[in-house]
Amino acid sequence: VSGPRYLVVDYLMVLKEMCVPNATGCITGPAGAAWPYRFIGCILSNMIRDFDVSLETFTPVTNIARKDVISHPFEVQTSRGVIATKHVIHCTNAYAATLLPALKGKLWPLRGQMTVQSVPESFPRLGNKRSWSTIWAQGFDYITQSAANDGSLYIGGGALQGGLFWDEDVGSTDDSKQSSSCLKHLEKVPKIGFGIADGTQVEKKWTGIMGFTGDGLPFVGQVGHDISGREDCDTAAGGEWIAAGWDGYGMVQCWLAGRALAKMIVSGTDNAPEWFPAAEFACTKARLDKMTPEGGLRRLLEI
Ligand SMILES: Cc1cc2nc3c(=O)[nH]c(=O)nc-3n(C[C@H](O)[C@H](O)[C@H](O)COP(=O)(O)OP(=O)(O)OC[C@H]3O[C@@H](n4cnc5c(N)ncnc54)[C@H](O)[C@@H]3O)c2cc1C
């Protein structure tokens, strides 16, 4: 779209229209919305109820040690004690480099900002069928609307829109604080994106930490000794694994990545499902060696 600096994208019928802009310049396609906290909470509750699973919250892992014990070759040290285990799976996303220092500068944190903003009575209630993006010359925001009567807009993003962005959010793991530059931008989106003159205000705001990788693809697979610094096990005895670095899209990738990783843990890395891009997502030294912090930032700037 030439002319305007921004474009509001309505995701209704993208597949049907094959991303061809319509007469109003909008690209439309189907969308869906989920309530992640309820969804994950329900899955966890079912697992705890139906399987021999224990969930230890507020229990950071502080160290992993390799032991010469065939039945339990790893010792995971936590703030509340030690766990002896056969397998270790690093699914700490942006924080993975803490226990795998070889990932420093290859998998790094980026803080993202969310808001919930009220809308006036006159604003259409389309939350049960639409979501939008405001696409900027650089970067974009994502917008859904509550399907409830209040029609509040859930507006997130704002990255690359403020001069302070780099100082504030790149490399930050502090989700106890807001991103002032993103917030400043996001509170203007109802006006510039939808032309709402009055009657909107930020009702809720929070930040979350995403994990970005040097090449934009996640790490899903086995972690070898050349990355962990810990001796490899005989495959049958156990192993160290990773599923992290979703580049801000974990909710759409984790499910099948988790299934593929489970299959690899049970049957070996050569037996990943054939639909899974095992080579592209592999956490190998060769892949890590191609990543630089500068390259990662350059890629982010091109989003
Ligand atoms: C603002 C925002 C918008 C997003 N929008 C989308 C979207 O539209 N679509 C999409 O697909 N995804 C989106 N995401 C990304 C998605 O939320 C993440 O990719 C997903 O939550 C990653 O899940 P995870 O379990 O791998 O990591 P996280 O949810 O980051 O969980 C990692 C966990 O590891 C814990 N941890 C860290 N270190 C340790 C340690 N040493 N010991 C024990 N535990 C530790 C952390 O406390 C944390 O609970 C968004 C994220 C943000 C912040």
Side-chain angles (χ1 to χ4, degrees):
V1 175
S2 59
R5 277 198 58 230
Y6 64 86
L7 166 69
V8 177
V9 179
D10 174 341
Y11 285 118
L12 187 70
M13 314 273 289
V14 163
L15 293 181
K16 195 167 165 207
E17 303 202 0
M18 298 302 285
C19 293
V20 177
N22 64 22
T24 61
C26 288
I27 301 168
T28 60
W35 192 321
Y37 187 79
R38 281 188 178 179
F39 186 44
I40 308 278
C42 183
I43 290 173
L44 276 174
S45 314
N46 287 351
M47 284 176 68
I48 291 165
R49 189 193 59 210
D50 298 340
F51 301 98
D52 186 17
V53 168
S54 134
L55 174 67
E56 308 293 333
T57 56
F58 296 99
T59 311
V61 174
T62 49
N63 192 36
I64 298 165
R66 179 77 167 80
K67 294 285 159 184
D68 201 9
V69 179
I70 292 176
S71 59
H72 297 95
F74 296 98
E75 202 174 77
V76 175
Q77 286 148 23
T78 79
S79 58
R80 296 195 299 127
V82 174
I83 302 166
T85 181
K86 196 169 169 180
H87 293 281
V88 174
I89 308 175
H90 295 263
C91 44
T92 47
N93 204 25
Y95 310 86
T98 312
L99 293 164
L100 292 171
L103 297 185
K104 278 190 182 152
K106 322 284 181 183
L107 167 51
W108 37 275
L110 175 69
R111 186 172 56 191
Q113 178 75 46
M114 274 302 301
T115 63
V116 179
Q117 304 195 34
S118 56
V119 292
E121 276 297 312
S122 55
F123 190 75
R125 270 43 176 180
L126 299 169
N128 61 348
K129 41 182 177 290
R130 298 212 165 156
S131 63
W132 302 264
S133 274
T134 34
I135 313 285
W136 304 95
Q138 201 176 34
F140 63 95
D141 316 312
Y142 30 91
I143 308 165
T144 51
Q145 187 180 31
S146 167
N149 286 342
D150 61 279
S152 300
L153 295 173
Y154 286 66
I155 310 182
L160 304 174
Q161 309 306 321
L164 287 171
F165 167 68
W166 301 109
D167 296 324
E168 267 195 308
D169 299 309
V170 173
S172 174
T173 51
D174 189 356
D175 58 2
S176 71
K177 296 203 172 62
Q178 308 292 323
S179 163
S180 58
S181 54
C182 290
L183 264 184
K184 208 166 146 193
H185 165 80
L186 292 177
E187 62 193 15
K188 290 189 275 184
V189 169
K191 186 167 183 192
I192 47 185
F194 294 104
I196 306 175
D198 298 302
T200 63
Q201 70 174 39
V202 175
E203 301 285 351
K204 295 194 175 106
K205 52 191 174 186
W206 67 93
T207 53
I209 309 301
M210 297 170 277
F212 276 67
T213 63
D215 61 10
L217 297 176
F219 296 118
V220 183
Q222 189 149 29
V223 179
H225 68 96
D226 48 352
I227 292 167
S228 69
R230 289 172 281 270
E231 192 192 333
D232 287 337
C233 303
D234 179 333
T235 317
E240 221 167 314
W241 310 84
I242 187 166
W246 310 106
D247 278 58
Y249 292 105
M251 296 311 290
V252 293
Q253 299 191 77
C254 313
W255 309 103
L256 288 178
R259 187 189 284 187
L261 186 66
K263 174 115 194 302
M264 285 189 264
I265 293 172
V266 171
S267 326
T269 41
D270 294 339
N271 292 310
E274 61 184 51
W275 45 261
F276 185 70
E280 288 79 1
F281 287 6
C283 187
T284 59
K285 181 91 175 33
R287 188 175 156 207
L288 291 185
D289 285 346
K290 287 191 206 139
M291 298 179 188
T292 60
E294 297 77 18
L297 284 180
R298 206 172 304 116
R299 193 182 58 74
L300 190 68
L301 280 167
E302 284 162 6
I303 288 174

